[in-house]
Amino acid sequence: MQIFVFTPEMEVAGIISTFESLVHTRQFAGSGSFKLTIPFTEEAFHLLAEDNILFWDDKGQRTVYIDSVVCETEKDGEYITASGKNLRGILGRRIVWKNFSFAGTVEDFARRIVNENAVNPSDDSRKIPLLSLGNRAATTHTITTQTENENVETLLDDLTAASGVGFDIVLNKAARQLNFIVYEGVDRRTTQQETPWVVISRDRNNVISEVYTRSSTSFRNTALISGYTDEETGERYEDSIVEGSGLSRREIYIKGSATKPKADKKAGITEAQAILQYKSEQQQKAKEKLADQTKVLSLEVDLDPGVVGLLGPGDKVTAIEKKYNLISQTYVSEITAYYERGGVSYDVTLGNAVPSIYKKIKKELF
């Protein structure tokens, strides 16, 4: 397998034909990561520079950028290791600079966020070179929210967790362009008839090994939301999302916007309407926070390469494991490829990824 190296300006820098190992992870609610290790040479040292882009083909386009380089001397030789994220991760270099309220589709919201803060910002120095908005996906999920100077990458993670709509940046080599896209995973579950089913099960002989995980350590299902304090009465705005009772009720406090909503005569918005919109915005923020505090219920499988070729992050599949009494209509949260001299293998995570320093709990399996 050849790995093509491009500069940040999309000029060809070189080709890597041999390497010790390459681990590449794609995520639905996240930017994934990669780690490439090759023998140290002066040429490799110059090729594997921060912000350079790596491209290869493995059942589809795989594109990452470098943000860290480590050189090591060991008993058996010298090695250089480059690591970083998929292209979507460059949005982590921007925050929402100017806040706004929004009611509409998740897709329109995400495109506005990226356009105003990375593609066509009012300050040209904030532009991310070569980045543009891709074609619309015409998703229908809606949202009412207010931005709070969030990190753009983190905001997109939360949106995916709460809505099931994915976001990515893809490379157009011919046009030397990076395109921000919105997408929904392909539905391959047994509950539909439009696309061929994908059933992941040892009974189907497409699972080599597996790890089943259940955990409620970080689970929260009830939120107390605080907001502005009325200057005249001294009363604090409060709202809540409530579920469960007794031991099944797990609470979290969420601090909402401290700015009191006001009427806007020019826009024809009364104070009552402004308060209703404010309530919807705070509820949306709470839903996103709760989406980060769900139960872990995941099935990590070493999957047959032929099946992996059909799947992408966000795709919906059917998982069956009789030993765990598991019959689930779930989704692909993560795909990790391991490229080594002996070949390539894949791990696929269905449902919640088990949290680590690189992962956040996202949504329930069922």
Side-chain angles (χ1 to χ4, degrees):
M1 183 180 76
Q2 290 186 319
I3 301 173
F4 297 88
V5 184
F6 299 91
T7 67
E9 295 76 31
M10 288 306 301
E11 301 289 346
V12 178
I15 298 175
I16 296 172
S17 300
T18 59
F19 53 87
E20 293 295 310
S21 66
L22 168 61
V23 179
H24 178 230
T25 298
R26 294 180 290 152
Q27 297 173 316
F28 186 45
S31 298
S33 62
F34 84 96
K35 186 176 182 179
L36 172 68
T37 300
I38 64 176
F40 181 91
T41 65
E42 289 190 11
E43 180 184 8
F45 182 72
H46 290 295
L47 280 180
L48 299 181
E50 291 93 325
D51 287 340
N52 274 1
I53 294 171
L54 307 183
F55 171 91
W56 69 94
D57 189 88
D58 176 26
K59 302 178 174 63
Q61 172 183 296
R62 306 288 178 254
T63 316
V64 299
Y65 70 94
I66 300 170
D67 62 16
S68 179
V69 178
V70 177
C71 299
E72 297 178 285
T73 301
E74 300 180 358
K75 291 181 179 180
D76 60 344
E78 295 181 273
Y79 298 92
I80 181 168
T81 298
S83 59
K85 291 184 174 183
N86 295 301
L87 288 180
R88 180 185 181 281
I90 62 175
L91 295 174
R93 303 183 182 189
R94 296 291 181 270
I95 64 168
V96 178
W97 198 266
K98 185 176 181 180
N99 287 321
F100 62 91
S101 296
F102 180 88
T105 67
V106 171
E107 179 172 12
D108 285 343
F109 177 68
R111 287 172 66 90
R112 178 174 174 179
I113 289 290
V114 173
N115 186 58
E116 291 184 2
N117 295 285
V119 177
N120 290 305
S122 56
D123 179 353
D124 283 349
S125 69
R126 301 189 68 225
K127 286 185 177 181
I128 292 181
L130 308 181
L131 181 63
S132 64
L133 297 179
N135 295 331
R136 289 182 176 274
T139 61
T140 58
H141 299 270
T142 58
I143 187 176
T144 299
T145 190
Q146 183 181 45
T147 61
E148 296 179 347
N149 300 117
E150 299 98 328
N151 177 279
V152 172
E153 181 188 12
T154 302
L155 176 57
L156 294 180
D157 290 350
D158 292 341
L159 276 177
T160 296
S163 69
V165 177
F167 311 98
D168 204 356
I169 291 178
V170 296
L171 170 67
N172 183 332
K173 287 197 301 180
R176 294 176 58 197
Q177 194 174 61
L178 307 177
N179 294 325
F180 173 76
I181 64 168
V182 180
Y183 71 96
E184 291 185 87
V186 178
D187 193 345
R188 305 180 187 277
R189 296 172 295 183
T190 57
T191 54
Q192 54 80 43
Q193 302 295 329
E194 296 182 1
T195 57
W197 297 347
V198 172
V199 179
I200 295 176
S201 172
R202 288 191 296 171
D203 290 342
R204 297 293 182 102
N205 295 317
N206 55 24
V207 174
I208 301 169
S209 63
E210 64 188 15
V211 177
Y212 176 64
T213 303
R214 287 192 323 223
S215 174
S216 57
T217 302
S218 301
F219 176 54
R220 299 292 182 270
N221 59 2
T222 295
L224 172 61
I225 311 160
S226 74
Y228 66 89
T229 299
D230 191 288
E231 294 180 357
E232 296 180 0
T233 65
E235 292 183 0
R236 186 180 73 175
Y237 170 90
E238 289 186 349
D239 198 358
S240 61
I241 295 176
V242 177
E243 184 178 327
S245 62
L247 289 177
S248 68
R249 175 168 167 147
R250 303 192 179 198
E251 300 173 348
I252 187 173
Y253 170 74
I254 297 172
K255 189 175 182 179
S257 172
T259 303
K260 183 179 180 179
K262 298 178 180 180
D264 187 340
K265 293 182 178 179
K266 292 183 179 180
I269 298 175
T270 66
E271 184 175 347
Q273 290 172 325
I275 290 175
L276 282 175
Q277 180 172 329
Y278 176 87
K279 178 182 176 68
S280 296
E281 293 169 351
Q282 304 316 301
Q283 284 271 322
Q284 174 63 32
K285 288 295 181 184
K287 290 176 183 177
E288 292 174 7
K289 293 293 184 182
L290 288 174
D292 283 338
Q293 303 290 328
T294 59
K295 294 179 180 178
V296 171
L297 186 54
S298 71
L299 186 67
E300 299 173 65
V301 292
D302 182 356
L303 202 56
D304 182 276
V307 179
V308 176
L310 300 173
L311 301 176
D315 283 3
K316 302 173 182 68
V317 299
T318 299
I320 299 175
E321 180 47 79
K322 294 179 180 178
K323 182 168 66 174
Y324 308 125
N325 295 317
L326 176 67
I327 301 177
S328 175
Q329 308 298 339
T330 185
Y331 73 105
V332 177
S333 61
E334 191 171 285
I335 299 175
T336 298
Y338 303 89
Y339 307 90
E340 296 175 322
R341 291 182 177 181
V344 59
S345 61
Y346 303 90
D347 283 344
V348 176
T349 300
L350 308 178
N352 296 350
V354 178
S356 72
I357 193 172
Y358 300 110
K359 302 174 183 177
K360 297 173 71 176
I361 307 170
K362 286 306 179 185
K363 63 191 296 188
E364 291 185 27
L365 180 63
F366 297 105

